[in-house]
Amino acid sequence: MMRRAIPVIGLVLTLAACTSEARQPQQGAAPAKLDLKTTTPAAGKGLGKVTWNLPYEPQTLDPIRSFNYAENTALANMCESLLRLTPDFKIKPGLAVKAANPTPTTWVYTIREGVTFWNGDPLTADDVAASLSRHLDPKLGTWWGDYFNTVKSVRATGPLQVTVTLKQPDALFNQAMATGAGAVVQKKFLDKAGKSLGSPSRGVMCTGPFTFQDWKSGDSMTLTRNDHYWDKALRAKSESLVLRFIADETTAVNALRSGEVDGQYFYLPPAGLGQLQKSTTGSVTLGRSLTFWALLGSAKSGPYADPRVRRALSLALDRAAISKVVFQGTASPQRALTGSDYWGYERKTYQKAYEALPPETTDLAKAKELLVQAGSPTKPIVIGVQGSSAVHEQTANLLKATGEALGLDIEIRVVPVEQYGNLYSDPKARKGIDAFLSTWYGNVPDPLDIYTVFRKGGRTNFNDYKAVDGAIAEARAEGDPAARASLVTGIQEKVTRDVVWMPLNNLPVILYMNKRVTGAVPSFPYLYYPWAAGLGAR
Amino acid sequence: MTTYLLRKLIALAVVLVVASFLVYGLLYLVPGGPMAFLLGNRSGTPEQIAAIRAQYRLDDPFLVRYAAWLGDAVRGDFGSSLVYRQHVSGLMAARAATTAFLVGYSTVLIVVVGVAGGVLAGLRRGRVDAVISAVSSAFLATPTFVIGVLLVIVFALGLGWFPVFGPGEGLFGRLYHLTLPAITLSLGSAAFLARITRASVREELGREHVETARSRGIAEALVIRRHVLRNASIPVITVTGLTVASLIAGSVVVENVFALDGLGSLFVRAILQRDFAVVQAVVLVLVAAFVLINLVVDLCYKALDPRMSR
């Protein structure tokens, strides 16, 4: 928890000094183009035991409540979904060999034959239907509700056939079946476990390449190789994977450097990233990612509710500096929330639309002009940031300095880390906060997955943005990729120009592996794909 | 003696009930709730939120919730964690062992180092006293986490003698893993105890009965043991008791630095997450530990000084 405030403050001052010379909109060169990976060198042979660290202890392994880094990192090796999101962002068959869409509101999944659960029982349509139906029961409290809002029913319509009926056509539902939303647990096990499903004493019963061995609450979780795994290409190379829960970043970095832990995924660069990059005992790989860093607008009144003020702040902000100062050179500036890794279809259309958006570089003169048009507001803008996080703190400093250069009064409000989550779910917690910093990610390679946030009445549409509600409904119902891409680029255009959420930087996956091991998946799909199957010795 | 113990135990029960009510009430008054941990940051239709709130009785009035909790607790059921959906007992068992081991280990270090240093400084004036006083001042002034970080850098990363993190397994493994954390946790308190011991020994040395004993020609060693140390130990025991009780709270910082998931870090997390059942259970354990340690201190007094028991 060492704070490195002093060098940052120094930098902010120099920044403020530069920004007051409005004649040079470009401060510093744009960051070098990063080489982001989707694979790491294959392992030569397996190991007896690999130790990995999770950023915190999972709350549960129940798939319907697993929608966060540690939970999904653990679960991805154990529970499989109907479809599979590959390390290079393609959606391929998983536990279903086929997904058919005979009518706009029906999806028929043909379940793979010969798949068994860890206990040797065969996988049937009943298991799939039971697992998916759990998302429909409000009492069970799924975290994946966004993908099941349109689902009317899930039924086993044959021994190896599951039919999902939708209330209205939905382009995202089937794609979500490649994420944790489509994870399958044995029905018999679900019925027996009840509420204790996914708890340390109970665990789960799935089909993946690693089996749940044990979970010592507060200490570690052990997964062992499933020797009867159906997909020979993805059979686990190593015998067991021990997951530790070191939440303190400095301690985690120390454990990686000392070799007590073989590897870890970081979703934000740790303060000790430099030490890891320079380490002689291991190496850092940056992976392609759907995660981004953004300032989420939540003001319904006051100056920040005015799109011109938001645009002014966005134009004045030096994203290259954020990349350099806050993310230690790992995060490319972004002009829209959804960068190129989201373009899973109609890439050309998306590419063209992206290039037509206002650039991610600064233009202070134009920003000042916009502010004058908005009536030069004097009321302070309150920005919420998470306590005990260097990344939040340093971005806040840069925002504040930008505000000063622009003539905007920005106030920073620090919210403790355990309560930060309330900002997303509780309007009362957001009271008096005009915007707050956040990482965010979509789950599938479709920009619509992100823009769906801005539906009217959506729980995460914090500032009640209404301009794209109709277009979102239309795009979700559009089965034709070309037509959908043109609708989604239209939504992107509006949301980006109005800076509903301010896109800042793309956050690559930061993977550290000890020299002893190689073969982990370095890209974002590690959250849903058995990333440890290929893990072994160099 | 039996009535004395009985009185103490009744008092303990009263303290526990009052503490549980106060903590429950305070937690209830603080704004914010566990919703983010129950439904995540992304989803939640109004009906889903309503179903979850009803299920966890989040909308029940305070007294109803407290009474329900108390009723279960009296029957030995401390409920389940909202966030982890496991029984509180299961959540606490592993962590309590880690914290107990850490606190026990630190206590031994504190008593050995603190008392030995204090007695040495008290009996030997001059250079020994000056060195011990200077060292104890330095330890008293250094924040716990700084000591922890320094120890890790030198002994774990630099020399590789000790592991960086984790509670370890088996008796030897635990001792090995918890050595640095225990040293970190105990240095400040050991220094404090050394100062108290030194002052107490000095005070006893200057007393009349010590002078009398000496003038009668009783051997110096015997004088020190029978007259000085025995009397000096009374304040030392008091301070040790209080220190050990405070270690339980102080362990939070150390647990963080060394990634030991003990009761301390569980407690802090549970408070911030408004995880009622967990907070209540940890409070009860801490309060009970506190009261029991005080009881042990009282019993030690009795053993040392029969006059105290009247």
Side-chain angles (χ1 to χ4, degrees):
Chain A
M1 304 261 258
M2 294 271 193
R3 298 198 178 177
R4 301 180 311 156
I6 291 168
V8 175
I9 286 170
L11 210 132
V12 170
L13 290 179
T14 50
L15 269 179
C18 307
T19 42
S20 55
E21 294 169 39
R23 308 226 355 237
Q24 289 178 300
Q26 285 283 71
Q27 305 124 18
K33 195 109 180 73
L34 294 165
D35 177 23
L36 304 182
K37 303 271 190 258
T38 56
T39 56
T40 56
K45 58 179 194 329
L47 286 158
K49 179 176 117 176
V50 177
T51 307
W52 205 263
N53 186 46
L54 300 179
Y56 55 91
E57 177 163 16
Q59 278 185 37
T60 177
L61 287 177
D62 179 349
I64 75 166
R65 299 200 310 123
S66 297
F67 187 166
N68 212 337
Y69 294 102
E71 288 80 0
N72 292 118
T73 306
L75 212 51
N77 292 303
M78 292 186 272
C79 296
E80 301 180 274
S81 299
L82 289 173
L83 305 176
R84 200 185 255 168
L85 181 65
T86 63
D88 55 354
F89 300 89
K90 305 246 181 329
I91 292 179
K92 291 272 162 65
L95 290 180
V97 284
K98 198 163 136 242
N101 192 200
T103 76
T105 52
T106 332
W107 282 94
V108 179
Y109 295 96
T110 309
I111 309 303
R112 190 178 294 275
E113 262 183 271
V115 176
T116 54
F117 287 99
W118 303 324
N119 58 9
D121 295 351
L123 165 75
T124 67
D126 284 337
D127 299 308
V128 175
S131 298
L132 296 189
S133 297
R134 294 179 70 232
H135 293 276
L136 306 181
D137 179 354
K139 279 204 288 297
L140 293 180
T142 178
W143 290 30
W144 295 96
D146 279 354
Y147 301 110
F148 289 89
N149 289 341
T150 53
V151 176
K152 189 150 76 188
S153 68
V154 183
R155 289 191 326 277
T157 43
L160 289 174
Q161 189 190 69
V162 173
T163 302
V164 177
T165 313
L166 305 175
K167 298 170 195 159
Q168 67 227 37
D170 185 358
L172 290 180
F173 173 78
N174 182 55
Q175 296 185 64
M177 291 302 102
T179 72
V184 177
V185 182
Q186 189 179 23
K187 180 177 190 295
K188 196 168 77 180
F189 192 87
L190 289 173
D191 294 340
K192 211 164 70 193
K195 269 194 161 169
S196 68
L197 182 83
S199 68
S201 52
R202 181 69 67 151
V204 284
M205 177 56 65
C206 296
T207 57
F210 279 96
T211 65
F212 174 85
Q213 179 72 33
D214 78 336
W215 175 1
K216 290 196 207 74
S217 183
D219 182 61
S220 64
M221 189 189 294
T222 306
L223 318 185
T224 48
R225 177 168 57 205
N226 170 11
D227 287 322
H228 308 288
Y229 185 50
W230 62 270
D231 186 350
K232 297 204 172 28
L234 272 178
R235 250 189 213 168
K237 283 197 161 131
S238 297
E239 277 164 52
S240 81
L241 178 67
V242 177
L243 302 171
R244 307 299 306 237
F245 321 126
I246 309 173
D248 186 80
E249 224 175 54
T250 314
T251 311
V253 169
N254 287 342
L256 290 167
R257 287 170 64 203
S258 73
E260 285 166 69
V261 171
D262 291 313
Q264 174 168 358
Y265 290 104
F266 292 94
Y267 55 94
L268 287 172
L273 179 66
Q275 292 171 313
L276 292 178
Q277 283 169 321
K278 287 201 284 281
S279 166
T280 51
T281 57
S283 62
V284 172
T285 309
L286 298 181
R288 280 173 50 194
S289 165
L290 297 178
T291 311
F292 53 83
W293 182 234
L295 180 64
L296 316 186
S298 55
K300 292 176 190 169
S301 62
Y304 204 72
D306 184 337
R308 287 169 302 189
V309 174
R310 297 197 295 258
R311 215 173 309 147
L313 183 59
S314 178
L315 271 174
L317 197 59
D318 186 348
R319 289 169 176 77
I322 295 181
S323 172
K324 200 158 67 190
V325 178
V326 182
F327 294 106
Q328 305 170 56
T330 61
S332 307
Q334 277 193 298
R335 60 179 68 179
L337 297 170
T338 50
S340 60
D341 284 325
Y342 277 91
W343 309 338
Y345 58 100
E346 303 293 319
R347 283 190 76 87
K348 277 207 181 72
T349 311
Y350 281 115
Q351 171 106 32
K352 233 168 78 189
Y354 189 87
E355 281 162 7
L357 292 170
E360 58 274 17
T361 46
T362 50
D363 186 343
L364 196 64
K366 202 164 162 196
K368 282 183 166 161
E369 215 172 288
L370 271 168
L371 214 49
V372 171
Q373 283 172 26
S376 308
T378 52
K379 233 180 107 186
I381 291 169
V382 181
I383 292 181
V385 306
Q386 186 179 297
S388 53
S389 156
V391 167
H392 276 259
E393 217 172 294
Q394 294 165 2
T395 307
N397 288 339
L398 287 170
L399 279 164
K400 213 169 157 49
T402 307
E404 273 163 25
L406 192 60
L408 256 187
D409 183 6
I410 291 183
E411 248 178 55
I412 303 297
R413 185 172 304 169
V414 180
V415 180
V417 53
E418 282 81 359
Q419 287 169 44
Y420 206 70
N422 288 328
L423 293 180
Y424 301 84
S425 53
D426 183 359
K428 280 205 288 290
R430 289 194 296 270
K431 224 174 118 64
I433 290 181
D434 295 314
F436 56 101
L437 286 169
S438 177
T439 60
W440 195 272
Y441 57 84
N443 298 288
V444 292
D446 183 342
L448 182 57
D449 194 22
I450 291 296
Y451 297 118
T452 284
V453 161
F454 304 112
R455 267 176 335 203
K456 213 159 73 194
R459 200 163 79 125
T460 45
N461 185 359
F462 307 118
N463 42 6
D464 275 346
Y465 186 69
K466 298 184 183 74
V468 290
D469 187 50
I472 290 171
E474 230 179 306
R476 273 193 84 150
E478 182 53 70
D480 173 52
R484 186 157 87 244
S486 87
L487 281 164
V488 175
T489 49
I491 297 168
Q492 173 177 271
E493 165 75 15
K494 278 207 182 71
V495 167
T496 309
R497 298 233 177 240
D498 285 344
V499 201
V500 193
W501 287 7
M502 193 183 297
L504 303 173
N505 298 65
N506 170 267
L507 297 176
V509 173
I510 297 171
L511 163 67
Y512 177 86
M513 284 188 296
N514 191 319
K515 271 212 302 249
R516 201 174 80 93
V517 300
T518 183
V521 170
S523 54
F524 175 86
Y526 82 88
L527 288 173
Y528 307 121
Y529 178 91
W531 57 266
L535 202 54
R538 278 176 181 272
Chain B
M1 190 71 192
T2 335
T3 48
Y4 168 80
L5 273 179
L6 202 64
R7 269 212 319 268
K8 284 277 175 193
L9 288 175
I10 290 168
L12 170 62
V14 172
V15 168
L16 287 180
V17 171
V18 171
S20 75
F21 182 81
L22 280 179
V23 171
Y24 212 94
L26 287 172
L27 210 51
Y28 195 87
L29 291 176
V30 183
M35 213 59 200
F37 300 96
L38 296 175
L39 269 184
N41 294 341
R42 304 275 190 101
S43 73
T45 55
E47 56 175 349
Q48 216 190 352
I49 293 170
I52 295 287
R53 290 197 74 89
Q55 193 181 339
Y56 289 99
R57 297 169 147 178
L58 294 179
D59 296 317
D60 284 10
F62 165 66
L63 283 175
V64 173
R65 277 173 80 182
Y66 176 73
W69 175 84
L70 192 64
D72 289 342
V74 168
R75 285 197 301 274
D77 172 10
F78 289 99
S80 292
S81 155
L82 288 180
V83 175
Y84 293 97
R85 295 210 190 175
Q86 334 166 16
H87 254 268
V88 169
S89 46
L91 208 55
M92 283 174 58
R95 293 172 169 90
T98 300
T99 299
F101 210 103
L102 175 66
V103 168
Y105 195 168
S106 304
T107 305
V108 171
L109 291 177
I110 288 169
V111 170
V112 171
V113 175
V115 171
V119 168
L120 210 58
L123 298 178
R124 304 258 179 98
R125 290 162 202 262
R127 191 170 303 177
V128 176
D129 181 22
V131 168
I132 291 177
S133 293
V135 170
S136 68
S137 299
F139 285 154
L140 266 175
T142 318
T144 313
F145 89 92
V146 172
I147 294 175
V149 169
L150 285 175
L151 289 177
V152 167
I153 289 172
V154 176
F155 293 101
L157 284 177
L159 297 166
W161 292 354
F162 288 100
V164 169
F165 81 101
E169 277 169 35
L171 182 66
F172 180 75
R174 275 183 177 259
L175 276 175
Y176 177 56
H177 270 84
L178 291 176
T179 298
L180 290 186
I183 293 174
T184 307
L185 186 56
S186 56
L187 280 182
S189 302
F192 182 61
L193 192 63
R195 304 203 129 203
I196 298 286
T197 310
R198 173 181 174 275
S200 182
V201 167
R202 283 281 157 95
E203 196 180 341
E204 293 300 327
L205 277 174
R207 295 221 174 202
E208 250 173 72
H209 60 91
V210 176
E211 299 293 324
T212 316
R214 277 190 179 147
S215 61
R216 282 188 189 162
I218 297 177
E220 183 67 7
L222 201 61
V223 172
I224 298 285
R225 218 173 40 233
R226 296 268 308 262
H227 294 274
V228 176
L229 293 189
R230 186 169 176 157
N231 289 330
S233 64
I234 292 175
V236 171
I237 286 173
T238 311
V239 171
T240 306
L242 288 174
T243 308
V244 172
S246 74
L247 283 186
I248 302 173
S251 62
V252 177
V253 175
V254 176
E255 283 172 10
N256 253 332
V257 172
F258 292 93
L260 305 169
D261 206 349
L263 278 190
S265 38
L266 178 71
F267 187 45
V268 171
R269 225 176 21 232
I271 290 176
L272 290 166
Q273 294 171 342
R274 310 281 186 277
D275 201 341
F276 277 79
V278 175
V279 174
Q280 289 293 77
V282 178
V283 163
L284 294 189
V285 168
L286 295 187
V287 170
F290 209 92
V291 172
L292 290 175
I293 288 168
N294 276 322
L295 183 63
V296 171
V297 170
D298 282 354
L299 294 175
C300 286
Y301 279 168
K302 283 175 177 301
L304 282 167
D305 186 352
R307 282 172 314 171
M308 292 257 183
S309 59
R310 282 184 220 138

